[in-house]
Amino acid sequence: MNTPKKSAKQLREMLIDERPDGSRRLKNQEQFAELTESGKLGIGDFSIRDLAEAFLGTSWESGYNRASLPSGDVDLRESGTPVSSSVFPQIAGQLLLSTVRKQFDVEASVFSPLVEAIESQIKGTEVVPSVTNIAPGDAQLVQEAQEYPTVGVSEETFRLPAKEKKGFIIELTKEAIHFDKTNLLVQQAQKIGAALGAVKENSIIDCLVGATNNYVRNGVASNTYLTAGVINNQSSLPLTDWTDIDAALRLWEDLLDPNTSEPLAGYPKHLVVTPAKLRTARRIVTATQTRSDENQALGTRSEVTIGGNPVSDLGLTVLSSIRLYRRILAGPEPVAATARDGWFLGDIGEAVCWLSCFPLTVMQQGPDSPAAFSRDVAMRFKSSMLGVAAVKEKRRILRLENAAW
């Protein structure tokens, strides 16, 4: 077992104000919250037994049996909170959340940070209104002393998918505290964080690659990628050099505002590829010069043109992950060779969003639960989140393939 890096007694001194009249109050709650939220303090930094002894005393087992601890979320930043045995699960819970969140962020680290998290108060499907853009042609000439024309508000609606709740429970037994099984608790927390982070990342990737098609505009559902109508999908276009990106831009330039038929603002920001195409993509984006040969037939004059990188002005960010490749295989394209050649060009933040009823949270339950009596469970921690990824605007992403998916 690894030696804890930090002292539980020092943590107690940081958090508990021992007053002359014998009373105790919590202090430095904001500092503690900042340390846990930033990942600088986690449950693995302490011995769970040392924490119990620091906050409950060396006779923590007998005292813990008599304690009636509250369940639920407790904000440790609330000033003037009396210190009692209930503080221990609250502090352990916040340290545990730090460990869960750190591993959550590791798994949800490629595509999740790029999408907007939109708060929602409705768990099921919901229809939300949006105001359409105004066409430039609607602007009228205003003569001197004439009234300006009044523009009405036109609405369109989007149906958002139902959110999904995912989570796990960690149980901490009296034996785990007594025999100081801190490493097992840390491993459980890390695995839960990794699993929930993978849930979010997978959900976002599934929308990106076209495995999940939940775009519904004005009551009409459609696939994310289409080869007719709103054309944002093209085959016979492998990614080999800058000319393929240039060809894809012709597709991008034909994607127009559905209400005004005006060009959409901006150019692609992200070039998304499978690991098999990662080095190719990086070479294309970071090349400092390109060369083109003409008239190379035998016996004719050969001319070589040297120039800068034609796509460097786009400032494309190359993104890739093994998880992306595996989600493609599990979804739109099960053939490995065909899946590897697919690539995406667009603005992920404009194309996909994350709808959240509540983010990753950890709640604790003390020894007043039925599991405490029947199975000696000292504390239970529940990690959960309620959300889902959704296609925000399919006109902001292109899917390009060699052989059609």
Side-chain angles (χ1 to χ4, degrees):
M1 185 178 64
N2 295 330
T3 302
K5 299 178 182 178
K6 297 178 175 64
S7 165
K9 291 182 179 179
Q10 290 179 350
L11 181 64
R12 175 189 168 89
E13 292 172 359
M14 184 186 91
L15 291 176
I16 295 181
D17 180 19
E18 303 278 358
R19 299 192 173 186
D21 60 1
S23 64
R24 300 180 179 90
R25 299 285 174 179
L26 281 176
K27 62 179 181 179
N28 298 323
Q29 296 97 320
E30 289 287 349
Q31 181 183 355
F32 180 63
E34 290 174 4
L35 289 171
T36 54
E37 289 168 7
S38 65
K40 294 179 180 178
L41 275 185
I43 196 69
D45 292 319
F46 302 92
S47 155
I48 191 66
R49 182 184 175 97
D50 287 350
L51 283 173
E53 291 180 352
F55 288 92
L56 300 176
T58 53
S59 58
W60 63 269
E61 290 181 83
S62 60
Y64 207 77
N65 289 337
R66 294 193 300 269
S68 178
L69 306 184
S71 301
D73 282 321
V74 179
D75 188 354
L76 291 180
R77 286 171 282 192
E78 182 181 353
S79 61
T81 305
V83 175
S84 66
S85 55
S86 65
V87 170
F88 174 53
Q90 296 164 28
I91 291 174
Q94 198 151 336
L95 290 170
L96 192 76
L97 173 59
S98 175
T99 302
V100 171
R101 184 188 290 116
K102 182 181 292 186
Q103 199 63 34
F104 178 94
D105 291 339
V106 169
E107 292 297 325
S109 61
V110 180
F111 299 101
S112 296
L114 301 175
V115 305
E116 178 186 9
I118 301 175
E119 292 187 9
S120 174
Q121 302 299 320
I122 300 176
K123 181 180 179 182
T125 58
E126 56 182 314
V127 177
V128 297
S130 177
V131 178
T132 62
N133 292 326
I134 299 174
D138 292 339
Q140 301 178 19
L141 177 64
V142 180
Q143 300 291 350
E144 183 178 354
Q146 286 187 343
E147 290 187 5
Y148 285 87
T150 301
V151 178
V153 176
S154 299
E155 287 190 359
E156 59 183 351
T157 61
F158 293 90
R159 190 173 74 210
L160 306 181
K163 276 62 72 180
E164 299 175 345
K165 182 168 62 176
K166 301 292 178 69
F168 302 92
I169 289 178
I170 298 177
E171 293 185 334
L172 183 63
T173 63
K174 287 174 61 178
E175 288 90 342
I177 299 176
H178 181 84
F179 295 109
D180 199 8
K181 297 182 179 180
T182 308
N183 283 351
L184 294 179
L185 180 61
V186 171
Q187 290 173 23
Q188 280 186 308
Q190 290 173 338
K191 288 179 180 180
I192 285 177
L196 292 178
V199 166
K200 182 176 181 180
E201 189 81 349
N202 285 347
S203 181
I204 290 171
I205 291 175
D206 286 348
C207 284
L208 170 64
V209 303
T212 297
N213 295 278
N214 53 22
Y215 183 83
V216 184
R217 177 177 170 268
N218 291 333
V220 179
S222 64
N223 287 341
T224 305
Y225 297 106
L226 300 172
T227 55
V230 180
I231 303 175
N232 60 349
N233 183 202
Q234 182 174 324
S235 57
S236 301
L237 191 60
L239 183 65
T240 56
D241 58 31
W242 70 268
T243 60
D244 299 311
I245 294 178
D246 191 57
L249 289 177
R250 304 291 81 78
L251 219 60
W252 182 270
E253 291 158 1
D254 286 335
L255 294 173
L256 305 176
D257 185 293
N259 299 299
T260 66
S261 296
E262 287 291 312
L264 295 171
Y267 272 87
K269 296 180 179 179
H270 305 114
L271 175 58
V272 181
V273 297
T274 64
K277 285 290 185 179
L278 178 58
R279 278 78 191 171
T280 300
R282 285 176 176 168
R283 174 177 57 82
I284 294 171
V285 171
T286 61
T288 57
Q289 65 175 222
T290 58
R291 299 185 178 216
S292 58
D293 299 333
E294 296 189 15
N295 299 323
Q296 297 183 59
L298 183 64
T300 64
R301 177 179 158 211
S302 179
E303 181 177 306
V304 178
T305 302
I306 301 175
N309 187 340
V311 297
S312 62
D313 60 314
L314 294 174
L316 291 171
T317 299
V318 177
L319 301 169
S320 180
S321 73
I322 297 175
R323 186 178 298 282
L324 170 78
Y325 169 60
R326 301 309 303 183
R327 298 310 295 176
I328 294 174
L329 289 177
E333 182 46 65
V335 179
T338 309
R340 291 191 185 104
D341 283 340
W343 53 291
F344 304 83
L345 189 67
D347 186 339
I348 295 175
E350 292 294 325
V352 181
C353 65
W354 176 258
L355 306 173
S356 175
C357 288
F358 60 79
L360 178 67
T361 59
V362 170
M363 298 178 67
Q364 72 276 343
Q365 187 178 50
D368 52 349
S369 69
F373 184 81
S374 60
R375 295 189 289 112
D376 280 338
V377 175
M379 287 183 289
R380 305 176 83 209
F381 301 97
K382 179 176 66 179
S383 299
S384 62
M385 64 181 185
L386 179 56
V388 71
V391 178
K392 186 177 177 182
E393 181 47 70
K394 62 183 182 179
R395 293 168 179 82
R396 298 282 80 189
I397 193 73
L398 304 175
R399 189 175 79 188
L400 301 313
E401 307 136 6
N402 185 9
W405 290 3

